[in-house]
Amino acid sequence: KNLEKEIKKALFVHRDDTSWWKNGELNYLNVASTANAVYFKIQKRLNSKNAKKLKLAKDCVQISDAHSVYNDTCKEQQKCWAHLSRLAKKPKHYFKDKKDKTEYEKHVSKIMELFSQAKKDKRSLGCSKELRKKYDDTLLDLLAEKNHRKNKWIGKNALALKQYIVKRQGQWFTFLEYPYVNPTNNRAEQDLRHIVLKRKISQQNRSTKHMHSYEMQASLYMTSKQRHEPYLQALHDILAPQITGKI
């Protein structure tokens, strides 16, 4: 509960999710991660209603992938460039011909070059609303076909990539306005790595009680790791006052 309160007050939160099984039933494990806290919550359904249960601060910036369940949980959003890069490099559809593939690769190259330049400008120029708007406008210009005879988005892969970016327009360069915001959601993915390994070994929880016990212990363990503190010491600090109080 204390970790949940800390997450709710944070200036930025990384969020992600993965599947989790309880006695043969599919559930979902959600992670919310900040610079000093990691909070896990296992829920039956992965939807916007459950995502909104973690009420974030008004000025919080949420970093996440393109999953729609996180769309209405926070006013300021930063969508993950790592996800966009992976999607762009591994298109779903076959290319009709070599020209189709070449044109697609040109679009991907321009977008990733723009991202690379944005990171450089953040380091050299600092953060500002003006810088964010500049890059938002430049990205729109790359996606637009007006007045760009050579900038045609043709083919299933190109159109799918364009739609993916446009649907989240205004959320790709949020990191240029806030110095503490990262353009990728790697932090949340790294926090889930321990969970994924655990899932491969034990497969599932057998009861609701043990499921919630695990999410609590995992939250404490990953938070202590995030803070570079010994896990056993973190448990001692929590339990000792309670035991002493009872005695």
Side-chain angles (χ1 to χ4, degrees):
K1 287 181 180 179
N2 288 334
L3 285 175
E4 184 178 1
K5 289 178 182 178
E6 190 170 334
I7 294 288
K8 288 179 178 180
K9 296 177 182 178
L11 288 174
F12 70 90
V13 176
H14 290 258
R15 300 186 74 176
D16 207 346
D17 51 77
T18 188
S19 57
W20 191 262
W21 294 86
K22 188 209 77 175
N23 206 25
E25 295 179 354
L26 177 62
N27 288 259
Y28 295 92
L29 186 145
N30 301 279
V31 62
S33 178
T34 67
N36 295 308
V38 182
Y39 174 71
F40 293 106
K41 185 70 175 178
I42 302 174
Q43 298 169 314
K44 286 187 177 181
R45 293 178 180 82
L46 182 63
N47 53 35
S48 57
K49 183 180 178 181
N50 283 334
K52 287 179 183 178
K53 288 181 179 179
L54 183 64
K55 296 181 180 180
L56 303 175
K58 290 182 179 180
D59 56 347
C60 179
V61 180
Q62 181 177 262
I63 305 103
S64 67
D65 58 22
H67 206 305
S68 60
V69 299
Y70 301 115
N71 287 350
D72 300 323
T73 55
C74 198
K75 288 183 179 180
E76 282 286 37
Q77 303 265 1
Q78 170 63 55
K79 294 305 177 183
C80 180
W81 275 91
H83 280 79
L84 175 59
S85 176
R86 288 195 290 266
L87 178 75
K89 290 176 181 177
K90 294 183 179 180
K92 291 182 179 181
H93 307 286
Y94 289 107
F95 293 102
K96 290 190 299 183
D97 48 41
K98 190 175 181 180
K99 183 181 178 182
D100 186 22
K101 183 180 179 182
T102 302
E103 288 298 316
Y104 175 79
E105 289 174 347
K106 284 181 181 178
H107 288 309
V108 173
S109 179
K110 287 179 182 178
I111 290 169
M112 297 315 297
E113 283 176 10
L114 182 67
F115 172 52
S116 179
Q117 187 59 48
K119 290 189 290 183
K120 291 177 182 177
D121 280 353
K122 180 176 181 177
R123 289 192 293 268
S124 60
L125 304 176
C127 296
S128 66
K129 288 184 179 180
E130 292 74 22
L131 186 63
R132 176 184 176 180
K133 187 179 185 306
K134 172 190 171 183
Y135 275 91
D136 280 337
D137 293 343
T138 306
L139 180 60
L140 270 178
D141 192 49
L142 284 177
L143 298 172
E145 293 187 11
K146 289 183 178 180
N147 304 321
H148 289 271
R149 293 182 180 179
K150 296 181 180 180
N151 190 34
K152 294 291 184 182
W153 289 76
I154 302 173
K156 288 184 177 180
N157 290 314
L159 292 174
L161 179 63
K162 179 179 178 180
Q163 185 181 19
Y164 182 91
I165 298 171
V166 170
K167 282 180 71 176
R168 295 145 189 102
Q169 178 57 30
Q171 300 176 346
W172 293 110
F173 293 104
T174 311
F175 73 97
L176 295 178
E177 185 176 344
Y178 303 94
Y180 47 81
V181 173
N182 197 293
T184 71
N185 199 29
N186 292 342
R187 182 190 292 273
E189 291 189 339
Q190 290 166 2
D191 290 333
L192 282 176
R193 191 174 298 168
H194 173 80
I195 302 296
V196 172
L197 290 174
K198 158 73 175 173
R199 185 180 61 197
K200 287 182 178 180
I201 296 168
S202 64
Q203 303 297 320
Q204 62 182 333
N205 291 120
R206 284 296 183 183
S207 70
T208 302
K209 179 181 178 181
H210 290 133
M211 183 176 71
H212 292 311
S213 175
Y214 177 70
E215 72 182 5
M216 178 186 68
Q217 293 178 60
S219 297
L220 295 173
Y221 174 74
M222 292 306 296
T223 297
S224 62
K225 188 177 180 181
Q226 189 98 303
R227 296 174 179 177
H228 304 288
E229 297 174 352
Y231 177 51
L232 291 177
Q233 185 61 46
L235 289 179
H236 178 271
D237 293 342
I238 295 168
L239 295 173
Q242 297 181 48
I243 296 172
T244 305
K246 289 180 181 179
I247 293 174

